[in-house]
Amino acid sequence: MSYTCPYCHHHCTLQEGKTGFCRARTLKDGKNVCGNYGFLTSLALDPIEKKPLNRFYPGTTILSLGSYGCNLRCPFCQNFSISQNGRDAFQPVIARPEQIAAKALELKNRNNIGVAFTYNEPLLSWEFIRDTGELVHSKGQKNVVVTNGNFSVEIAKSLGGIVDAYNIDLKGFTPEWYKKLGGDLEMVKAFITEACKTAHVELTTLIVPKENDSPEEMEAIAQWIAGLSPDIPLHVSKFFPRWNMVDRNETPAARVYRLADVARNYLKYVYTGNC
């Protein structure tokens, strides 16, 4: 028996007990499930600005957790040790939704406002976000998702009213660049559009030399975002050589600042990162 996964553009054919491209979705008893449900590889109390979210409860902290797997293959990934591995690379640390929600509430005395699903690609286990998020809300706290956004709009709709804020990567604005990363630009744009209907959304563009660092591309990005709303914050971030992309130098800070200025012609809130 096999099953075609509908959640991103890869449309993997899942076999019983085997994972797809993302190393997380699998077929179990004929059902498409997330093999990393509640499986934690990372847990930290972070400043909300680290997500980055600059206009969502600034000055607070958030309990941040990650698992394993990703449906992209960005060669510069900073978290490749968890995003580009599967379950067998880790010792099992399983947390139930009620444990996460209780821990988040316990940390309220440290200015914690809720839970952030982050570090790897959290939407691979969107069911865990849903189940945990409902409990987090029941305790009066917030849910944040940091994602590449390379998912169907059905996922965004399923999490409508559960996710309070997203930071979504908009990695560039050409199909060619997204293809190099293993993604699909149009799918990301559609996800962002849907997410904006139900949640606070901030976007991040990592400026990679020789790939997406032209003023023309930044202008196209900013114009498109402004078409949704000029109030959507954009984080323009500096690239550092990582993992499989060490063939070029870090992005000059001056270029990041210059591209941020281009974006400010269209957007009210533009921030620079890693500079």
Side-chain angles (χ1 to χ4, degrees):
M1 182 178 181
S2 63
Y3 174 91
T4 301
C5 184
Y7 295 136
C8 78
H9 72 292
H10 292 297
H11 297 300
C12 295
T13 300
L14 300 179
Q15 304 288 338
E16 185 72 22
K18 306 293 184 181
T19 59
F21 181 85
C22 65
R23 302 187 178 97
R25 302 303 306 189
T26 187
L27 204 64
K28 183 177 181 180
D29 299 327
K31 295 182 179 180
N32 181 357
V33 301
C34 50
N36 62 350
Y37 186 102
F39 192 119
L40 302 187
T41 62
S42 310
L43 188 70
L45 186 64
D46 287 334
I48 193 74
E49 289 84 1
K50 190 177 177 181
K51 296 306 98 188
L53 289 170
N54 282 24
R55 302 193 67 79
F56 184 78
Y57 295 89
T60 63
T61 62
I62 193 156
L63 179 62
S64 302
L65 56 91
S67 186
Y68 62 83
C70 187
N71 60 341
L72 298 187
R73 293 292 184 267
C74 302
F76 46 77
C77 182
Q78 294 185 355
N79 292 329
F80 65 89
S81 62
I82 59 173
S83 70
Q84 303 303 319
N85 276 303
R87 188 184 188 95
D88 293 344
F90 307 97
Q91 293 294 323
V93 178
I94 309 298
R96 299 188 306 275
E98 54 266 29
Q99 290 176 306
I100 296 298
K103 184 63 176 178
L105 189 62
E106 178 187 321
L107 291 168
K108 189 174 181 180
N109 63 358
R110 294 179 61 183
N111 209 22
N112 179 50
I113 63 167
V115 176
F117 303 87
T118 179
Y119 300 138
N120 71 310
E121 177 43 63
L123 289 180
L124 297 176
S125 53
W126 64 268
E127 300 96 327
F128 184 66
I129 296 173
R130 176 199 62 202
D131 298 346
T132 306
E134 288 175 347
L135 293 175
V136 169
H137 271 180
S138 73
K139 298 179 184 299
Q141 294 197 295
K142 305 297 183 183
N143 299 299
V144 166
V145 170
V146 182
T147 175
N148 62 43
N150 201 95
F151 289 87
S152 68
V153 295
E154 284 70 25
I155 297 294
K157 290 178 180 178
S158 295
L159 295 175
I162 295 174
V163 177
D164 299 290
Y166 287 94
N167 183 282
I168 305 173
D169 287 338
L170 184 54
K171 295 178 182 291
F173 218 63
T174 65
E176 294 77 17
W177 179 225
Y178 260 94
K179 187 175 181 179
K180 287 183 181 181
L181 305 179
D184 182 85
L185 173 60
E186 292 307 313
M187 177 169 272
V188 174
K189 288 165 63 179
F191 187 93
I192 292 170
T193 301
E194 184 64 32
C196 286
K197 297 176 183 178
T198 59
H200 174 84
V201 173
E202 302 191 21
L203 304 176
T204 297
T205 301
L206 182 73
I207 304 302
V208 182
K210 302 179 183 178
E211 299 291 355
N212 65 346
D213 59 344
S214 72
E216 293 78 13
E217 185 161 352
M218 178 53 65
E219 184 171 39
I221 288 171
Q223 285 181 324
W224 181 79
I225 297 169
L228 297 176
S229 170
D231 293 327
I232 296 173
L234 174 64
H235 301 260
V236 183
S237 292
K238 178 178 180 176
F239 160 89
F240 290 95
R242 289 290 187 275
W243 193 35
N244 290 327
M245 189 174 275
V246 293
D247 61 337
R248 63 202 72 192
N249 295 326
E250 64 187 56
T251 313
R255 187 173 305 167
V256 175
Y257 295 138
R258 183 165 66 249
L259 294 178
D261 283 340
V262 171
R264 290 187 182 103
N265 290 324
Y266 303 93
L267 302 172
K268 293 181 182 178
Y269 309 110
V270 180
Y271 304 96
T272 55
N274 299 336
C275 291

